[in-house]
Amino acid sequence: MEARAYLKNTRIAPRKVQIVLDLIRGKDIENATAILKHTPKAACEHLLKLLNSAVANAEHNHGMDRDFLYVSECFVSPGPIMKRIMPRAHGRAFRINKRTSNVTLVVSEKL
């Protein structure tokens, strides 16, 4: 049995989120929470809330025991890109891409 949580269109680049997701993949819930609380990355705040949401979904919707849960799957995909223009010298314009992320986190029970 597994429980999922999604984070859609968060304003952080996917490659920054991927670095943190690689740290918690396969870890149990206690270790993953500790890693997210003590890692100085901007994505950790969003991922900690997402992890807590997935655990709450597992407990409430599927009746799983929190002590046996672990992060079985987590991945990020790019969301819509907000395109902005920055004026530059000689009347030129450079594009600035403000990237967004869609994150999926799955928790499962160890057997």
Side-chain angles (χ1 to χ4, degrees):
M1 184 81 68
E2 62 183 27
R4 294 175 179 264
Y6 301 99
L7 179 63
K8 303 262 186 176
N9 300 335
T10 184
R11 252 300 282 127
I12 188 163
R15 64 182 177 181
K16 294 180 181 180
V17 177
Q18 185 65 46
I19 293 170
V20 182
L21 287 179
D22 290 340
L23 294 174
I24 65 169
R25 186 176 292 114
K27 303 283 195 296
D28 63 349
I29 298 304
E30 299 301 323
N31 287 340
T33 304
I35 289 170
L36 290 175
K37 283 184 179 178
H38 298 294
T39 303
K41 295 283 189 183
C44 288
E45 294 178 35
H46 302 290
L47 293 179
L48 184 60
K49 287 179 74 173
L50 185 64
L51 178 64
N52 290 335
S53 176
V55 170
N57 289 343
E59 290 177 339
H60 184 266
N61 297 341
H62 303 292
M64 295 184 206
D65 187 10
R66 181 186 180 97
D67 297 331
F68 299 112
L69 291 178
Y70 73 102
V71 180
S72 61
E73 188 180 352
C74 55
F75 57 90
V76 62
S77 60
I81 298 173
M82 297 186 293
K83 297 174 178 76
R84 301 293 182 257
I85 300 298
M86 169 77 72
R88 304 301 287 186
H90 300 284
R92 294 185 178 97
F94 282 7
R95 176 175 280 176
I96 296 176
N97 292 326
K98 296 185 177 278
R99 300 183 185 277
T100 60
S101 301
N102 297 327
V103 185
T104 302
L105 196 136
V106 181
V107 294
S108 300
E109 268 188 324
K110 290 183 183 175
L111 299 177

